């Protein structure tokens, strides 16, 4: 399904936009009817997708060897409602999403680094990588829920 970094990044960028819509819809619902469960549901979904998008942006940035600037743009775009789509378009048009997953070592000296070797090992085992990323996102998500929502509890 996600045979290259671009398709994975695009899927998560779109999911982030959808989750923003759910969160904003929940906020409107709470403001207009007082029904706070809409924010709880939309906020929960948005939080999980937000963390998943961040993990995906880091993975794609490492795979495609982005400099800090484009990686920061990708990550910060998740904080601004609906900004992941323009960020994805910019990254695509600038060629930063082009190419395949780097599964094999090349003559490039950067391929000998420990994190490149580890990344290639995981990319050759996508189910293990997916499970590890999902576990990390769930653990972080639960930790953030325990800490409490942004702005504190009512």
């Amino acid at each position: 399904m996600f045979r290259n970094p671009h398709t994975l990044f695009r899927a998560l960028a779109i999911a982030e936009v959808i989750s923003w819509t759910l969160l904003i819809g929940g906020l409107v619902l709470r403001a207009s009817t007082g029904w706070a469960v809409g924010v709880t549901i939309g906020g929960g979904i948005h939080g999980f997708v937000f963390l998943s998008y961040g993990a995906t942006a880091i993975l794609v940035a490492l795979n495609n060897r982005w400099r800090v600037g484009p990686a920061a743009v990708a990550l910060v775009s998740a904080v601004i409602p609906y900004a992941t789509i323009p960020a994805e378009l910019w990254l695509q048009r600038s060629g930063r999403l082009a190419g395949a997953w780097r599964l094999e070592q090349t003559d490039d000296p950067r391929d000998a680094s420990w994190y490149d070797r580890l990344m290639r090992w995981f990319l050759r085992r996508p189910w293990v990588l997916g499970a590890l990323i999902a576990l990390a996102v769930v653990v972080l998500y639960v930790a953030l829920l325990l800490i409490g929502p942004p702005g504190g509890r009512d």
Side-chain angles (χ1 to χ4, degrees):
M1 180 174 189
F2 301 118
R3 296 191 185 273
N4 59 55
H6 181 222
T7 57
L8 177 62
F9 192 86
R10 175 174 277 176
L12 267 293
I14 292 168
E16 177 66 1
V17 165
I18 292 167
S19 75
W20 266 114
T21 302
L22 292 173
L23 176 58
I24 292 168
L27 290 167
V28 169
L29 191 63
R30 182 179 68 182
S32 61
T33 67
W35 196 51
V37 75
V39 175
T40 303
I41 294 168
I45 293 169
H46 173 67
F48 189 81
V49 173
F50 174 84
L51 294 173
S52 300
Y53 173 82
T56 299
I58 291 168
L59 176 65
V60 172
L62 289 172
N63 183 78
N64 290 14
R65 294 192 171 115
W66 296 349
R67 294 187 186 273
V68 173
V73 167
L75 290 169
V76 170
S77 72
V79 178
I80 303 163
Y82 305 110
T84 55
I85 297 297
E88 185 269 334
L89 290 172
W90 173 70
L91 290 164
Q92 177 191 11
R93 289 178 182 155
S94 64
R96 290 182 174 91
L97 291 173
W101 294 111
R102 291 188 298 115
L103 302 175
E104 302 299 328
Q105 187 169 354
T106 65
D107 293 336
D108 190 323
R110 296 174 294 182
D111 278 351
S113 67
W114 67 269
Y115 59 86
D116 265 10
R117 287 192 308 270
L118 185 62
M119 183 182 67
R120 284 192 304 274
W121 187 89
F122 276 113
L123 285 173
R124 286 191 299 267
R125 295 156 184 86
W127 290 106
V128 175
L129 177 62
L132 182 66
I133 290 173
L135 178 65
V137 167
V138 167
V139 167
L140 183 57
Y141 183 76
V142 169
L144 291 172
L145 283 177
L146 293 174
I147 292 169
R153 291 187 168 93
D154 293 326

